[in-house]
Amino acid sequence: MSKDSDVLKLVLLVSCSHALVHLLEQSIASVEQVISDDLTLSFEQSGWLGTSLRFPYGFGAFLAGLLADRIGEKRVLVLYLIGSGLVCLTFQNASGVGSVYLSLFALGSFASMYHPAGLALLANETTPEYRSRALGTHGVFGSLGIASAPFLAGAMLTISPGNWTGYYLLLGALSSLLGVLIWWLLKPQTRRGHRYSEPSAAQVSGNPNSPQPGDAASQRPVTSDDRHFQLWPFFLLVAGAGLSGIVYGGVLHFLPRYLKEAGLLKIIADLTGHTITDAAAGNYAAALALICGVFGQWAAGRIAQPGRMPVQLAIVYALNIPFLIWMTVADGGQRLLAACLWAFCHFMNQPLYNSLLPEYIPRHRRSAGFGFSNMIGFGLGSAGPPLVAFFDSRFGDYTRSYAALAGLAVIAAILPLPLRSKSLPRSRSGIS
């Protein structure tokens, strides 16, 4: 990329792809009640619906990262979009729970390609100072995608109650259209050369013997290939992402079911004079809660500071704790308020985490690095829905699982703290 307008176009196209992947990922949570009623599934079987999509969505990401490093991020983005669009069509012929599980597994496999390709593309084409803001925009689109899933499902179920296959038909059309647009509009990124200079590994780690501004050695072009892979910081960040992923998967899969008891059904009926189903009301409430995540993403993108991001990330993980505990005991309208505040805090981690992670990975291995990170984050996150279902079968109340999820957030909040002396110094350069 040689112009700011090219960078802006790239950020917008990649961000739209991010919105869609989270719309696809959250799709099953938006219609799991309808599918459960249609196929007569138990609560535990519904939990495994979430796992059948989230497991390949997470564990396929590492292979997708290796593929993106080899053939380029743009090709992988197009493959993810077109493949997901085709898979969405197969739900029209779903004849039983087995075929639904299979289609969800295929959808998760194609959707797993997005994050290693999209995140690496943004990380490689933006400066460290601008990267947090670009990833904040990217995160806002992702949260909009997550919130759009239950909103679109609620609209579909209001217009045509029980028509969950039509919902997937709509998602397939959107995915295929975006794939064609990216193929036409996004310039292939160069695999050689760099748009800007990044600090070397010695400068990142604060080595006093590293070249300083004004030194002769600092005048040579510095590329991120000079930076070695840093295993310990990478491990700490990815471990925290895995724990946060379990919280994310566990809460989101049953969020419409949790919020259908928040009283929104009566409010909508009073305002509109129309009666809607419990499933539609739960989806509208979930969309409202997840919209708060959009503001959390934006806020984190604005406040992120390269020298303070490990501490900021730890604080954001810790902010999950009180609201998860509140969700455990909340009832009625309090459920919606607690979920809104949880979503605002939880999604703040994305711009911080995705800005911090590339600083410990060489440029030419960032797709694989992001792929491994998403494999752990979303792969472990696939255990979230069965964990919530386990609490329901053991205690007869799945909301008790939120207290256990709060315990995972405690551990996640501790993990980034050792990195506070290893973070990237503030850069004075912008987009070049």
Side-chain angles (χ1 to χ4, degrees):
M1 294 288 175
S2 57
K3 298 179 180 178
D4 289 357
S5 61
D6 291 334
V7 176
L8 178 61
K9 181 170 66 175
L10 181 143
V11 169
L12 291 177
L13 286 171
V14 173
S15 295
C16 286
S17 300
H18 188 213
L20 187 60
V21 80
H22 282 297
L23 203 163
L24 294 170
E25 174 231 350
Q26 186 64 7
S27 63
I28 184 57
S30 304
V31 292
E32 63 90 12
Q33 296 177 79
V34 181
I35 295 176
S36 295
D37 292 341
D38 190 20
L39 301 179
T40 318
L41 304 181
S42 66
F43 194 88
E44 289 77 13
Q45 287 175 311
S46 175
W48 286 109
L49 282 176
T51 299
S52 63
L53 186 150
R54 293 181 185 278
F55 184 84
Y57 179 62
F59 285 98
F62 181 59
L63 295 177
L66 295 176
L67 182 64
D69 279 336
R70 184 173 184 84
I71 69 172
E73 289 88 359
K74 174 187 171 180
R75 292 186 179 91
V76 172
L77 288 178
V78 173
L79 180 59
Y80 129 65
L81 289 164
I82 299 300
S84 297
L86 294 175
V87 170
C88 285
L89 299 179
T90 65
F91 287 98
Q92 305 305 306
N93 298 319
S95 57
V97 64
S99 59
V100 174
Y101 281 141
L102 184 61
S103 292
L104 287 172
F105 189 92
L107 182 60
S109 298
F110 279 106
S112 73
M113 298 179 179
Y114 169 72
H115 281 95
L119 288 171
L121 193 54
L122 286 183
N124 290 339
E125 298 297 334
T126 55
T127 66
E129 183 179 57
Y130 182 76
R131 186 178 298 145
S132 294
R133 189 164 296 185
L135 287 169
T137 301
H138 174 265
V140 166
F141 274 71
S143 289
L144 286 173
I146 294 173
S148 295
F151 178 80
L152 289 177
M156 177 68 72
L157 296 174
T158 300
I159 296 170
S160 180
N163 185 17
W164 62 271
T165 58
Y167 176 57
Y168 276 103
L169 185 63
L170 173 62
L171 298 184
L174 292 174
S175 182
S176 300
L177 176 61
L178 184 56
V180 172
L181 288 176
I182 284 185
W183 182 256
W184 280 350
L185 299 178
L186 189 61
K187 294 179 180 179
Q189 73 278 15
T190 59
R191 307 305 294 169
R192 298 178 183 274
H194 307 284
R195 295 187 55 255
Y196 62 90
S197 296
E198 292 189 7
S200 67
Q203 291 170 306
V204 170
S205 62
N207 187 335
N209 296 322
S210 61
Q212 301 298 318
D215 293 346
S218 69
Q219 302 304 313
R220 67 175 178 82
V222 179
T223 73
S224 57
D225 289 327
D226 294 324
R227 184 184 308 161
H228 298 295
F229 175 70
Q230 299 182 53
L231 178 61
W232 176 241
F234 182 80
F235 169 79
L236 290 176
L237 288 174
V238 170
L243 296 174
S244 181
I246 296 175
V247 175
Y248 170 87
V251 174
L252 262 64
H253 183 74
F254 293 110
L255 189 60
R257 186 187 292 263
Y258 175 79
L259 291 177
K260 73 179 182 181
E261 301 175 16
L264 194 64
L265 182 64
K266 183 179 184 303
I267 294 174
I268 294 175
D270 291 342
L271 290 175
T272 64
H274 297 286
T275 300
I276 61 174
T277 64
D278 283 349
N283 275 297
Y284 286 135
L288 180 60
L290 293 171
I291 281 292
C292 294
V294 175
F295 296 102
Q297 295 265 21
W298 177 85
R302 302 293 294 184
I303 67 173
Q305 298 181 20
R308 299 179 180 176
M309 278 192 286
V311 174
Q312 290 176 320
L313 181 60
I315 292 172
V316 166
Y317 283 149
L319 288 175
N320 282 254
I321 300 166
F323 300 116
L324 287 169
I325 294 174
W326 188 11
M327 290 175 70
T328 304
V329 299
D331 198 11
Q334 287 189 13
R335 287 193 168 193
L336 181 57
L337 180 58
C340 286
L341 292 173
W342 170 81
F344 179 88
C345 295
H346 178 82
F347 288 100
M348 290 181 72
N349 79 80
Q350 290 301 305
L352 297 167
Y353 177 85
N354 290 327
S355 298
L356 191 57
L357 190 69
E359 305 310 329
Y360 305 109
I361 309 171
R363 183 186 191 277
H364 66 290
R365 287 291 179 261
R366 281 179 178 163
S367 292
F370 275 118
F372 185 85
S373 168
N374 283 278
M375 179 182 73
I376 299 301
F378 291 116
L380 287 183
S382 69
L387 175 64
V388 174
F390 168 78
F391 273 79
D392 186 75
S393 63
R394 183 71 179 270
F395 302 106
D397 182 6
Y398 67 91
T399 61
R400 293 191 182 186
S401 65
Y402 298 151
L405 297 178
L408 297 180
V410 172
I411 302 173
I414 296 172
L415 292 173
L417 294 177
L419 305 182
R420 60 187 182 275
S421 62
K422 295 178 176 292
S423 55
L424 182 70
R426 181 184 298 274
S427 171
R428 295 184 179 274
S429 60
I431 298 177
S432 58

